[in-house]
Amino acid sequence: MFIEIVAEVTDELLAAFERLIPQLSSSSPPPSADELVDIVTSPATDLFLATDDDGTILGTATLVTFRIPTGRRAWIEDVVVDDAARGLGVGGALTQAMVDRAEELGCTTVDLTSRPTREAANRLYQREGFEVRDTNVYRRKLDG
Ligand SMILES: CC(C)(COP(=O)(O)OP(=O)(O)OC[C@H]1O[C@@H](n2cnc3c(N)ncnc32)[C@H](O)[C@@H]1OP(=O)(O)O)[C@@H](O)C(=O)NCCC(=O)NCCS
């Protein structure tokens, strides 16, 4: 298995997101090619891919990093591994690669959220050293 940060948006990448995003969210459509270009070219986001020896895309995750007055922070978002490749350590490898990258970029913490019903994800993150943080997570929905 290989872990890489995407440098270029290809048809194969687009097809992989069409396959993977429905396995992560029933409400969000897969990103368009232009939206993927936005992610790949933004200095705030690193799009990680896990591929097998043949180059087949097994999973993806996005690392978001940004500076705020109290430091440089990182968030892990949209982690998903193809159903056929789960339980083999792909999610773990993606997570570890993002933690390493966040550290390399000078971040002092990495945050993420995961619903309690996502049992495999919660097990994975705790195995990778993430601890439940005592804070309230809020969201306000917007029209846009
Ligand atoms: C969460 C996800 C990314 C994990 O990917 P993965 O490649 O299978 O991850 P790993 O193989 O590194 O580890 C998975 C862990 O979950 C465990 N697991 C798998 N299915 C499980 C289940 N139903 N209940 C509890 N644990 C489970 C595995 O045993 C493994 O833990 P272990 O190594 O301690 O035994 C993958 O299951 C997925 O894409 N799920 C759907 C989308 C999702 O929930 N994304 C996370 C959003 S926060």
Side-chain angles (χ1 to χ4, degrees):
M1 184 209 322
F2 299 97
I3 304 291
E4 63 182 288
I5 296 175
V6 176
E8 191 190 2
V9 175
T10 60
D11 288 346
E12 192 200 357
L13 186 74
L14 196 59
F17 273 87
E18 279 165 9
R19 179 166 46 88
L20 291 170
I21 293 301
Q23 299 183 45
L24 171 68
S25 167
S26 54
S27 56
S28 303
S32 66
D34 285 349
E35 287 164 344
L36 284 172
V37 168
D38 273 356
I39 299 169
V40 169
T41 56
S42 168
T45 43
D46 282 322
L47 186 61
F48 281 77
L49 275 194
T51 53
D52 71 9
D53 295 349
D54 301 330
T56 303
I57 296 170
L58 304 174
T60 178
T62 300
L63 179 73
V64 185
T65 57
F66 51 94
R67 174 160 286 286
I68 55 174
T70 52
R72 196 164 171 80
R73 297 294 158 81
W75 277 89
I76 287 174
E77 294 283 352
D78 287 355
V79 181
V80 57
V81 171
D82 196 294
D83 199 31
R86 288 186 192 166
L88 303 173
V90 177
L94 281 166
T95 305
Q96 187 55 53
M98 290 187 287
V99 168
D100 290 347
R101 175 75 175 144
E103 206 157 32
E104 180 187 306
L105 292 171
C107 301
T108 48
T109 55
V110 187
D111 289 343
L112 58 81
T113 64
S114 189
R115 286 201 299 271
T117 51
R118 293 192 187 274
E119 288 181 24
N122 280 277
R123 187 178 165 97
L124 158 65
Y125 299 135
Q126 289 179 32
R127 189 188 73 201
E128 293 296 325
F130 287 77
E131 293 169 353
V132 174
R133 198 179 157 206
D134 187 16
T135 192
N136 295 328
V137 177
Y138 291 96
R139 170 171 290 174
R140 179 169 160 180
K141 292 188 175 167
L142 304 176
D143 294 336

